[in-house]
Amino acid sequence: MKNKNTQKSRFTVWGYLGFFAMVVVIASLSILVYDFTEEKSGGNTALSALVTLANICVMTVLCTAIDAVRRKVMVERPVKRILDATERITAGDFSVRIGTFHAWGKYDEYDVIAENLDKMAEELSKSEILRGDFIANVSHEMKTPLAVIRNYAAALADEKDEAVRREYAQTLVSESRRLDKLVTNVLRLSKLENQEIFPEKKKVQLGEEVRKCLLDFLGALEQKEIELVCNIDDMEIYSDTDFLNVIWSNLISNAVKFTPAGGKIVVSLKEREGLAVLKVRDTGCGMNAETGARIFDKFYQGDRSHAVEGNGLGLALVKKTIDILGGEIAVESELGKGSEFTVKIANGAP
């Protein structure tokens, strides 16, 4: 940016100098013509003034013609390309690229505008692709529970056996909850991405909040006979409790989901260098490098065998929430041996 500003300043200075030189040349020629005419006419002031006026008119017309050509080449042509590009972008064509008008090192303001517009169009194009993928994924994720609900509702209407009817009803409740969770997560993620909700920071007893979150998963832990090891210190930070609960609940939920029966989950909370550091480690299926690189993408699920238990939005919500709170998240994982998520949250004291 500094180089671009330097170039713009240099071209601005040269533009002023050029205009100044043109005025000096016209004034000097006018004086010379006046003196020359007066000398040749034997001191005829009227004739000298008339010739000088004619000279000024000719020079003015010449300068106007030169300036018109300059404006055509240096102003109107780039402005037309820029306007055409902005019209196409407004119409939804984000593939348009203007390109610069001069080589690097000779940029003017139009080159900077064109370069910025090209970058904007590129980012809009990426956003449009992501939006299309997001809509497609939402539609796909909704289609499955809706199909199950429709089929089981139809079967329930014709079923006479009470035990089977209860089973069908339980399936309907389960799929309805799954659909409700999907819609809730989509709306929450959309609000976070568009900054429609902001953290309301206040004093939070972090250790207590993590313990409360773990209590919600005791039933699932007991059902799968998973050993839970906690090493949670008490600490106080300024943050948003609701935002933090999104982080804890999704990380612990994932650990429970991917840890097999008889496995082990370790949750620790420590203070390190002024940061609250939460670690959630499990002995689940783990991830390969490709999956690890994409786990924070919306709707991405590396292990499709657990797809029925989630919708691929949990970790995307976690990442966005941590970004808003100004924290960090990292994951270490080995296929077949489990994963460890590390979250660092700064004390957002006022």
Side-chain angles (χ1 to χ4, degrees), residues 178 181 224 253 256-258 301 305-311:
R178 180 184 172 191
K181 184 178 180 182
K224 296 181 72 173
S253 174
V256 173
K257 180 168 66 174
F258 290 106
Q301 299 185 73
S305 65
H306 290 81
V308 70
E309 301 174 39
N311 47 55

Side-chain angles (χ1 to χ4, degrees), residues 113-280:
I113 293 172
E115 196 171 64
N116 289 339
L117 280 173
D118 284 348
K119 289 180 180 178
M120 181 187 72
E122 184 177 356
E123 292 302 316
L124 286 172
S125 178
K126 292 178 182 177
S127 298
E128 184 66 16
I129 292 172
L130 289 174
R131 188 182 71 86
D133 290 344
F134 182 75
I135 292 173
N137 283 321
V138 169
S139 301
H140 174 75
E141 291 292 336
M142 284 186 172
K143 187 176 181 180
T144 301
L146 284 173
V148 173
I149 290 171
R150 182 180 63 250
N151 293 336
Y152 272 83
L156 184 63
D158 299 329
E159 182 59 49
K160 304 300 183 183
D161 188 282
E162 189 61 31
V164 176
R165 287 175 63 85
R166 283 197 297 269
E167 181 184 343
Y168 287 176
Q170 185 58 43
T171 301
L172 289 173
V173 171
S174 175
E175 291 300 317
S176 298
R177 286 174 178 169
R178 180 184 172 191
L179 189 59
D180 177 68
K181 184 178 180 182
L182 171 63
V183 173
T184 300
N185 284 343
V186 168
L187 291 175
R188 184 183 295 167
L189 185 58
S190 176
K191 288 181 178 180
L192 288 174
E193 289 182 331
N194 291 286
Q195 283 290 276
E196 294 179 12
I197 53 176
F198 299 89
E200 297 180 4
K201 294 184 178 181
K202 58 184 179 180
K203 194 178 295 184
V204 177
Q205 301 298 330
L206 203 57
E208 183 179 343
E209 290 299 322
V210 174
R211 294 188 189 99
K212 285 181 181 178
C213 185
L214 286 168
L215 288 175
D216 294 335
F217 294 93
L218 286 182
L221 291 167
E222 292 175 359
Q223 185 178 359
K224 296 181 72 173
E225 298 181 347
I226 295 174
E227 179 186 359
L228 176 64
V229 178
C230 295
N231 190 3
I232 299 171
D233 290 350
D234 289 316
M235 66 184 70
E236 188 176 86
I237 68 170
Y238 280 86
S239 192
D240 188 297
T241 304
D242 292 335
F243 275 60
L244 292 173
N245 283 335
V246 170
I247 300 170
W248 316 146
S249 62
N250 277 287
L251 290 180
I252 296 170
S253 174
N254 271 3
V256 173
K257 180 168 66 174
F258 290 106
T259 301
K264 180 179 179 180
I265 293 175
V266 179
V267 179
S268 70
L269 177 66
K270 301 290 180 182
E271 185 174 355
R272 297 283 186 271
E273 300 177 353
L275 299 174
V277 181
L278 177 89
K279 293 180 180 287
V280 179

